[in-house]
Amino acid sequence: MPQSVSALANLYKDALLENVLPFWEHHSIDREQGGFFTCLNREGKVYDTDKFIWLQNRQVWTFSMLYNRLEKRENWLQIAANGAKFLAQQGRDNQGNWYFSLNRAGQPLTQPYNIFSDCFAAMAFSQYALASGEDWAKEVAQQAYSNVLHRQADPKGKYNKTYPGTRPMKTLAVPMILANLSLEMDWLLEGDRLEEVLNQTVQAVMMDFLDAEQGLLYENVTPEGQHLDCFEGRLINPGHGIEAMWFIMDIAHRRQDTELINQAVDAVLKTLQFAWDQTHDGIYYFMDAEGHPPQQLEWDQKLWWVHLETLVALVMGYRLTGRTECWDWFCKVHDYTWNHFVDAEHGEWFGYLNRQGEVLLSLKGGKWKGCFHVPRALYLCWQELEGTSSSGVC
Amino acid sequence: MPQSVSALANLYKDALLENVLPFWEHHSIDREQGGFFTCLNREGKVYDTDKFIWLQNRQVWTFSMLYNRLEKRENWLQIAANGAKFLAQQGRDNQGNWYFSLNRAGQPLTQPYNIFSDCFAAMAFSQYALASGEDWAKEVAQQAYSNVLHRQADPKGKYNKTYPGTRPMKTLAVPMILANLSLEMDWLLEGDRLEEVLNQTVQAVMMDFLDAEQGLLYENVTPEGQHLDCFEGRLINPGHGIEAMWFIMDIAHRRQDTELINQAVDAVLKTLQFAWDQTHDGIYYFMDAEGHPPQQLEWDQKLWWVHLETLVALVMGYRLTGRTECWDWFCKVHDYTWNHFVDAEHGEWFGYLNRQGEVLLSLKGGKWKGCFHVPRALYLCWQELEGTSSSGVC
């Protein structure tokens, strides 16, 4: 049955408010020791109590963001506070670097071996400071942000296994996360800081990592933005590239830069043509730009976040440009996503499907899946659909 | 059609000598810059020229071992020399630690971040020294071996991301590789060194890592050999556990320890009962001992080495004990393996199948698959089958 834009908006809204958030509210809060359980099985039962810093911070971000942007629900602020207090106390080493994981009680398990824990901490505490008005949270956010800036040239520090000099390369994740993070930190940054970072980011992503002819985002390039003929250099992560493109659209929209918006939309559409599984539908997880065998054995799997970030990019691209290819692809990806990832029986979404679209792991949360991509994308799609004046149907 | 033991012995022999070795002889030798290409596509064409130290050393080992144990073919010795000379010159840092990877010319790409490169170097140069009679090769082997012993308590050194003290654990890979390596180094070790290492290994593997009741080998346990309720602590790698068990059978056979042989056989059979895919056949790659979702997205895939090491364990267990369960399982795994992994069209074996048994990556070699598990297992199965007095049929 065809669904109108407003029916679709309601679908995303209801899934967020009546299905996904209640799942995390009921199952993930560690009321005894603070923070969140993210390893939840299909029914929501905790199967592992370790606390992974990315996911702890992302859940603080999600509930704070919804409190700030959607509705001042006291319960949401309390959930965010339960994570923020635990993390501020347990999450960092003496130098203020964020660990990768802790045990249930908050004792460190994995060292701060890259800057992404710090990135998600800065995002989380910025939103939480805004929500709570707490000065200490603002300080935590600012300290994490300065950590990220300080470590960005050498994100892995002593844990970096690359031999220096033989094959220098830079990675898409760094400018991409920096752009998103700086937008989040906007209210805490002084002077032209934000515009400076955004300029650098847009330049790096669109000139160095995007191959404009192919319309593909490369995960790794030389410092000068050239391709590298090796596993890392040929690597395409379609979901990651598409997510980067909606960050760019977001920045371009602030600047009223229609040309940049259209470049980003072009890249999304070309990436989808390249990465759509013509046999079983869905978007591949990893690909080799030259068609060689990728290193990643999970390359052909269909992951929740890949499809959700793609929906955000397509609906945003459609709202900003009105291009019908965006809407057609949105309907196609929407159908696949809602038919395969939603768990009608126990709530929330499956995360990992095999190539055929069957459930590979029935977990609702784990080491990498938490309360983040599903609610963020449902919220953004809902907002974008409400902002669309179009009368399209899916 | 039922196959007799001697027909099976010939099958393994012919596959080794007429199919698998010729594939590597024709496609993998880098005659210009030394060493080997291991990234070979289905037809044997090179798709990437990086040189991964594990695989470089393993290929030196394979050709040296066959020269030493099977036949003094000059060509095999030359191939081994082509690798050994390249590796001795390019493979190590100033402290004699073995890198993880090099570019085609031999410049280092990835730092010596664990001891497995050193392990495979010691094995390779020990066999090559025996084959070539070269003193310099003996020195390389001894230096690599002393590296491994020196680093075994802290195998990752500064690259270790585990926070000290919170959750101490030890890993099966270390004693397992040490046992295999020390047997290989036997002729170069002095006094009781070998027996000492073997005693420690058997003790650690059979008392600490084997759960005798379940019959499963755990990948990670506490220093005291207790289970840990976390992702790493619940991890079962069936192929790895089964491979460990044939190393133990090998040691037990040297010692005429029938009880130990039977303990190892029990573990192989119980691991197979646990890890055999009842729906699609084949042995899973990773499992969680408690049945929770494993971290590894590739958990349900069927890998070549898992099946080949299992065949070695089963045929060795059968020869040493005559237990019919070993033979029945051997026939079952043999059927699956030969029906799914062999590439009748282009030679050599596929490495990676999906759960359904379809080819997931059509490569013949890559970053982790080289000239090692297929030829070693074909050679060992052939020898074990020839050593069997039984009249069993498959």
Side-chain angles (χ1 to χ4, degrees), chain A residues 71-342:
Chain A
E71 196 185 318
K72 299 273 172 291
R73 288 197 198 178
E74 191 51 34
N75 177 42
W76 290 350
L77 187 60
Q78 275 172 16
I79 291 172
N82 178 63
K85 284 170 190 165
F86 174 82
L87 284 165
Q89 210 155 25
Q90 311 284 0
R92 293 166 292 176
D93 71 10
N94 292 336
Q95 284 78 53
N97 297 308
W98 285 80
Y99 294 114
F100 179 78
S101 65
L102 315 173
N103 66 12
R104 183 179 172 188
Q107 294 167 294
L109 284 170
T110 314
Q111 300 278 15
Y113 69 86
N114 68 34
I115 58 168
F116 297 106
S117 292
D118 303 75
C119 282
F120 297 123
M123 285 172 64
F125 280 86
S126 171
Q127 283 292 339
Y128 178 68
L130 204 55
S132 66
E134 304 267 20
D135 275 341
W136 64 266
K138 210 188 280 188
E139 279 162 34
V140 175
Q142 278 163 326
Q143 190 243 9
Y145 185 69
S146 86
N147 252 8
V148 174
L149 295 181
H150 180 68
R151 291 174 66 190
Q152 65 171 306
D154 183 21
K156 293 186 187 169
K158 73 164 181 155
Y159 301 99
N160 185 4
K161 297 174 191 164
T162 305
Y163 189 89
T166 307
R167 185 184 286 159
M169 61 173 86
K170 59 181 185 182
T171 180
L172 174 60
V174 172
M176 196 180 140
I177 200 95
L178 213 61
N180 188 237
L181 173 58
S182 303
L183 282 172
E184 288 278 337
M185 302 284 297
D186 187 8
W187 71 290
L188 290 173
L189 302 181
E190 285 169 16
D192 296 335
R193 191 87 204 103
L194 177 65
E195 288 308 316
E196 263 171 48
V197 174
L198 295 184
N199 283 339
Q200 287 164 16
T201 305
V202 171
Q203 169 84 11
V205 172
M206 301 308 278
M207 301 301 287
D208 292 351
F209 292 97
L210 174 66
D211 182 309
E213 207 177 313
Q214 296 176 295
L216 296 178
L217 275 299
Y218 281 68
E219 286 298 305
N220 302 290
V221 295
T222 70
E224 301 76 30
Q226 301 302 305
H227 292 322
L228 282 157
D229 188 16
C230 60
F231 283 105
E232 296 85 356
R234 294 187 303 265
L235 182 65
I236 306 292
N237 178 330
H240 200 226
I242 289 171
E243 187 183 13
M245 289 302 95
W246 78 248
F247 290 179
I248 296 289
M249 285 182 218
D250 203 16
I251 297 168
H253 179 54
R254 287 166 61 99
R255 300 176 168 188
Q256 305 285 318
D257 185 342
T258 314
E259 196 186 330
L260 183 57
I261 292 173
N262 273 296
Q263 279 170 8
V265 168
D266 288 341
V268 171
L269 297 170
K270 287 192 178 170
T271 302
L272 279 169
Q273 279 156 22
F274 181 74
W276 186 258
D277 181 347
Q278 301 292 342
T279 309
H280 297 284
D281 289 338
I283 302 159
Y284 291 121
Y285 188 13
F286 291 109
M287 299 184 78
D288 182 290
E290 310 285 323
H292 299 310
Q295 283 188 67
Q296 291 79 5
L297 298 186
E298 65 273 31
W299 74 273
D300 69 348
Q301 296 176 9
K302 311 292 163 64
L303 268 70
W304 86 108
W305 69 265
V306 171
H307 294 76
L308 284 160
E309 298 306 324
T310 300
L311 288 171
V312 173
L314 289 166
V315 71
M316 191 184 283
Y318 182 61
R319 179 173 66 84
L320 296 176
T321 69
R323 288 167 64 173
T324 53
E325 307 119 286
C326 288
W327 187 253
D328 295 343
W329 267 111
F330 175 78
C331 294
K332 185 169 173 167
V333 179
H334 168 90
D335 282 345
Y336 181 86
T337 303
W338 287 78
N339 283 327
H340 290 84
F341 287 102
V342 175

Side-chain angles (χ1 to χ4, degrees), chain A residues 50 108-109 111 161 166-167, chain B residues 50 108 111 161 163 166-167:
Chain A
D50 282 353
L109 284 170
Q111 300 278 15
K161 297 174 191 164
T166 307
R167 185 184 286 159
Chain B
D50 282 352
Q111 300 279 14
K161 297 174 191 163
Y163 189 89
T166 308
R167 184 184 285 159

